[in-house]
């Protein structure tokens, strides 16, 4: 398309008012939330970029389908619709519904995991790693070298290092590999895409050593967009065909439908192998629900069946990827340091480079998150030493590799004028930025401290 303006390929039928607050009020709300945006009330947030998970707006077709939900315990018509859509997309025979992605992960990885087992991924998402480690197994991340250079402009920085993959398999022994997991797009790696060529390379290694190959396919539609536009030979294929080609390479897939399912809750596990599927179905019935609903209501399964088709529509994907890039490119031109190129679902800002006067021990990312809220009512999340920092035996901080702030963009929720507003807030972020102070932690739990820690401004 040759127009400058990215129009939203939908019009508005129902509106949810945003709460407009003053800076003075936000200073108070942030203090009451102990400078932790996870503790803010959402009604005090103007633009919510905390996550793209489960925050999508549903279409009128999805809402209409929900009215036709069949809430039968077994053999629900809505399940059959959802199953048919997933079978068509993945080409896999066995589909297990779950209430969200991590439930599918728990079933598959607790079954294949356990002490002595090893999983290998381009980058394990945090719930993936947690489920693997909880089973007693080990998880190794092997992103390509390009991924380690935040500003390097390369098309597929989400790829897996296949040389390292082969070495790890040899080192641990093929019989001890629980699975190789290709995360598309690579969420924890900045939302960067994975090429088909890389997915094929991974397949070759997995075939050679006869190890399980799974896709963590939460954002496979977004990934397909990048393949069509950046990888030779895919120009004339549809987004869905590209996704189908990638699924055909693997032995199974785990999906959080809260991302590219365009719904607020849901997930699935899809497998080629009957024996593995039967074993996983036993676990599904024990903890999630019967095999034809797995923790989902009939109406949710209807919304999923429609959402999984809408997400591959060209006008939607064009809008989705271009509008995220639009925000990132504008910030980049303004001089905001960030991970480049811009990923599919979020913009990741380098807060340590933005506030060079704030040492990592005073959490520059958390300082930026607080400033964004106070100045513009924008909620974002720190992905740095608050989230991933550890302490050594003397209680000294071992910082995370990067001090990032993530602006995750919910699907179909905000318009271009919301995005223009966010850009304006960033212009204000430059005013007096040298005087912004760091943050200290005053109270923290032992695990996943970013959710509930309390902070103070220095
Ligand atoms: C969100 C996500 C998950 C976990 O899904 P939930 O629905 O949040 O449980 C797993 N992997 C990736 C890559 C994700 O983005």
């Amino acid at each position: 398309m040759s127009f400058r303006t990215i129009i939203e390929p939908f019009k508005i039928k129902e509106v949810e008012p945003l709460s407009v607050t003053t800076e003075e009020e936000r200073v108070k709300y942030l203090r009451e939330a102990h400078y932790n945006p996870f503790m803010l009330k959402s009604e005090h947030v103007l633009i919510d970029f905390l996550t793209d998970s489960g925050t999508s707006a549903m279409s009128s077709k999805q809402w209409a389908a929900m009215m036709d939900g069949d809430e039968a315990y077994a053999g629900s018509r809505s399940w059959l619709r959802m199953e048919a859509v997933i079978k068509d997309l993945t080409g896999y025979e066995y589909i297990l519904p779950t209430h969200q992605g991590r439930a599918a992960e728990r079933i598959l990885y607790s079954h294949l995991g356990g002490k002595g087992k090893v999983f290998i991924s381009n980058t394990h998402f945090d719930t993936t790693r947690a489920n693997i480690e909880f089973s007693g197994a080990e998880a190794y991340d092997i992103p390509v070298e390009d991924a380690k250079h935040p500003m390097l402009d390369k098309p597929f920085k989400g790829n897996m290092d296949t040389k390292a993959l082969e070495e790890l398999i040899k080192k641990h022994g093929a019989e001890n590999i629980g699975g190789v997991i290709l995360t598309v797009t690579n969420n924890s790696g900045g939302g960067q895409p994975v090429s088909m060529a890389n997915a094929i390379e991974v397949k070759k290694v997995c075939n050679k050593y006869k190890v399980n190959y799974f896709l963590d396919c939460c954002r496979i539609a977004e990934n397909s967009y990048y393949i069509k536009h950046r990888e030779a030979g895919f120009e004339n294929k549809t987004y869905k065909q590209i996704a189908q080609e990638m699924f055909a390479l693997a032995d199974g897939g785990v999906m959080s439908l809260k991302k590219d399912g365009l719904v607020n809750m849901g997930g699935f596990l899809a497998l080629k192998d009957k024996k593995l599927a039967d074993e996983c179905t036993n676990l599904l019935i024990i903890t999630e629900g019967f095999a034809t609903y797995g923790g989902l209501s009939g109406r949710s399964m209807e919304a999923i069946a429609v959402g999984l088709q809408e997400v591959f529509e060209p006008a939607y994907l064009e809008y989705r990827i271009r509008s995220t890039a639009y925000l990132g490119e504008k910030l980049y031109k303004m001089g905001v340091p960030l991970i480049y190129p811009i990923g599919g679902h979020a913009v990741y800002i380098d807060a340590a480079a933005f506030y060079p006067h704030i040492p990592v021990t005073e959490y520059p990312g958390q300082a930026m998150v607080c400033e964004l809220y106070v100045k513009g009512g924008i909620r974002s999340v720190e992905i740095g030493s608050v989230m991933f920092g550890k302490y050594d035996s003397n209680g000294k901080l071992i910082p995370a590799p990067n001090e990032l702030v993530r602006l995750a963009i919910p699907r179909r929720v905000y318009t271009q004028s919301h995005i223009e507003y966010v850009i304006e807030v960033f212009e204000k972020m430059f005013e007096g930025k040298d005087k912004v102070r760091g943050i200290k932690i005053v109270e923290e739990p032992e695990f996943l401290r970013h959710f509930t820690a309390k902070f103070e401004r220095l």
Side-chain angles (χ1 to χ4, degrees):
M1 248 183 274
S2 56
F3 290 101
R4 198 173 54 248
T5 306
I6 310 157
I7 66 159
E8 291 77 27
F10 45 81
K11 56 186 178 176
I12 295 163
K13 172 170 271 181
E14 183 192 275
V15 296
E16 180 179 353
L18 287 173
S19 73
V20 180
T21 50
T22 64
E23 186 162 330
E24 216 176 8
E25 287 168 332
R26 291 193 295 265
V27 166
K28 178 172 152 279
Y29 296 145
L30 189 63
R31 196 186 319 118
E32 287 166 1
H34 303 281
Y35 300 92
N36 185 344
F38 280 100
M39 293 206 244
L40 284 169
K41 291 183 182 154
S42 77
E43 63 186 5
H44 295 153
V45 174
L46 183 63
I47 305 283
D48 206 343
F49 284 167
L50 191 68
T51 176
D52 66 319
S53 178
T55 51
S56 302
M58 294 213 297
S59 68
S60 50
K61 292 219 170 87
Q62 284 177 292
W63 283 107
M66 284 179 76
M67 292 303 291
D68 196 31
D70 175 1
E71 305 300 342
Y73 191 97
S76 153
R77 174 177 73 233
S78 304
W79 158 246
L80 295 174
R81 279 187 192 141
M82 171 176 160
E83 186 191 33
V85 169
I86 300 172
K87 270 192 181 178
D88 173 50
L89 176 63
T90 61
Y92 303 156
E93 188 64 28
Y94 305 100
I95 314 297
L96 285 68
T98 61
H99 79 278
Q100 64 183 92
R102 70 196 68 181
E105 293 178 330
R106 188 188 53 77
I107 289 169
L108 184 63
Y109 304 140
S110 66
H111 181 61
L112 295 174
K115 214 169 157 31
K117 294 286 181 186
V118 166
F119 290 81
I120 307 167
S121 176
N122 43 348
T123 310
H124 292 86
F125 182 65
D126 52 14
T127 59
T128 318
R129 172 176 289 276
N131 273 295
I132 288 168
E133 291 178 348
F134 191 70
S135 82
E138 282 177 284
Y140 291 94
D141 291 339
I142 45 163
V144 283
E145 180 62 29
D146 287 351
K148 294 166 197 161
H149 305 278
M151 300 291 286
L152 186 69
D153 192 357
K154 287 285 175 74
F156 291 106
K157 291 167 79 173
N159 284 352
M160 185 186 288
D161 181 344
T162 47
K163 238 177 102 186
L165 173 62
E166 194 155 1
E167 281 160 16
L168 273 175
I169 296 175
K170 278 196 211 148
K171 182 173 162 210
H172 293 278
E175 68 284 5
N176 295 319
I177 307 298
V180 173
I181 306 162
L182 192 63
T183 312
V184 295
T185 57
N186 192 0
N187 183 0
S188 306
Q192 298 290 325
V194 175
S195 68
M196 191 70 81
N198 187 246
I200 291 169
E201 280 304 311
V202 174
K203 162 81 173 168
K204 283 187 188 149
V205 178
C206 291
N207 269 8
K208 182 169 165 192
Y209 294 94
K210 298 200 168 46
V211 298
N212 290 315
Y213 178 16
F214 302 114
L215 293 181
D216 181 341
C217 55
C218 298
R219 296 179 182 80
I220 190 144
E222 292 174 6
N223 200 79
S224 299
Y225 178 92
Y226 290 107
I227 290 179
K228 184 177 167 90
H229 296 277
R230 291 182 184 175
E231 194 168 353
F234 293 92
E235 303 81 356
N236 299 319
K237 293 194 169 150
T238 66
Y239 298 116
K240 187 174 140 193
Q241 284 168 337
I242 294 170
Q244 285 169 324
E245 232 172 270
M246 194 173 266
F247 276 117
L249 297 168
D251 302 308
V254 169
M255 183 165 186
S256 166
L257 291 159
K258 300 172 73 172
K259 287 48 173 270
D260 275 353
L262 293 178
V263 292
N264 306 113
M265 197 55 70
F268 68 74
L269 168 60
L271 297 164
K272 274 183 185 166
D273 182 67
K274 179 169 189 315
K275 185 166 166 282
L276 181 57
D278 285 346
E279 290 158 354
C280 287
T281 302
N282 287 334
L283 295 174
L284 176 79
I285 295 174
I286 294 170
T287 59
E288 285 283 297
F290 186 59
T292 64
Y293 71 88
L296 295 167
S297 58
R299 54 186 171 274
S300 293
M301 296 193 284
E302 291 285 344
I304 289 163
V306 177
L308 260 185
Q309 297 178 77
E310 287 180 347
V311 78
F312 286 100
E313 283 170 13
Y316 163 74
L317 274 176
E318 179 91 7
Y319 145 80
R320 170 71 178 159
I321 303 296
R322 282 188 64 206
S323 59
T324 306
Y326 176 85
L327 171 61
E329 296 286 347
K330 284 271 170 149
L331 299 183
Y332 182 65
K333 287 205 184 95
M334 201 190 282
V336 177
L338 39 76
I339 293 190
Y340 202 83
I342 311 302
H345 69 290
V347 175
Y348 292 76
I349 298 162
D350 183 346
F354 191 79
Y355 295 131
H357 61 288
I358 304 180
V360 292
T361 50
E362 295 174 12
Y363 306 107
Q366 195 68 17
M368 175 175 270
V369 160
C370 291
E371 283 296 296
L372 277 170
Y373 177 69
V374 168
K375 288 215 156 77
I378 300 166
R379 177 154 68 172
S380 55
V381 65
E382 192 258 17
I383 301 194
S385 293
V386 170
M387 195 179 270
F388 295 121
K390 298 204 163 85
Y391 296 110
D392 69 13
S393 53
N394 300 320
K396 202 168 153 263
L397 179 77
I398 308 167
N402 296 297
E403 303 299 327
L404 302 175
V405 168
R406 184 182 76 176
L407 309 176
I409 320 292
R411 293 167 181 79
R412 301 194 292 208
V413 170
Y414 295 113
T415 64
Q416 187 160 354
S417 55
H418 290 118
I419 299 296
E420 297 291 354
Y421 166 81
V422 173
I423 292 164
E424 260 186 71
V425 172
F426 268 91
E427 284 166 10
K428 291 218 161 44
M429 293 287 284
F430 279 92
E431 292 168 14
K433 83 177 179 68
D434 304 339
K435 293 191 187 66
V436 169
R437 304 247 183 110
I439 298 276
K440 74 168 178 192
I441 297 177
V442 290
E443 214 183 293
E444 60 184 302
E446 199 178 338
F447 296 106
L448 296 171
R449 65 177 179 173
H450 56 285
F451 287 125
T452 53
K454 294 180 179 169
F455 305 91
E456 262 169 31
R457 271 188 158 157
L458 289 163

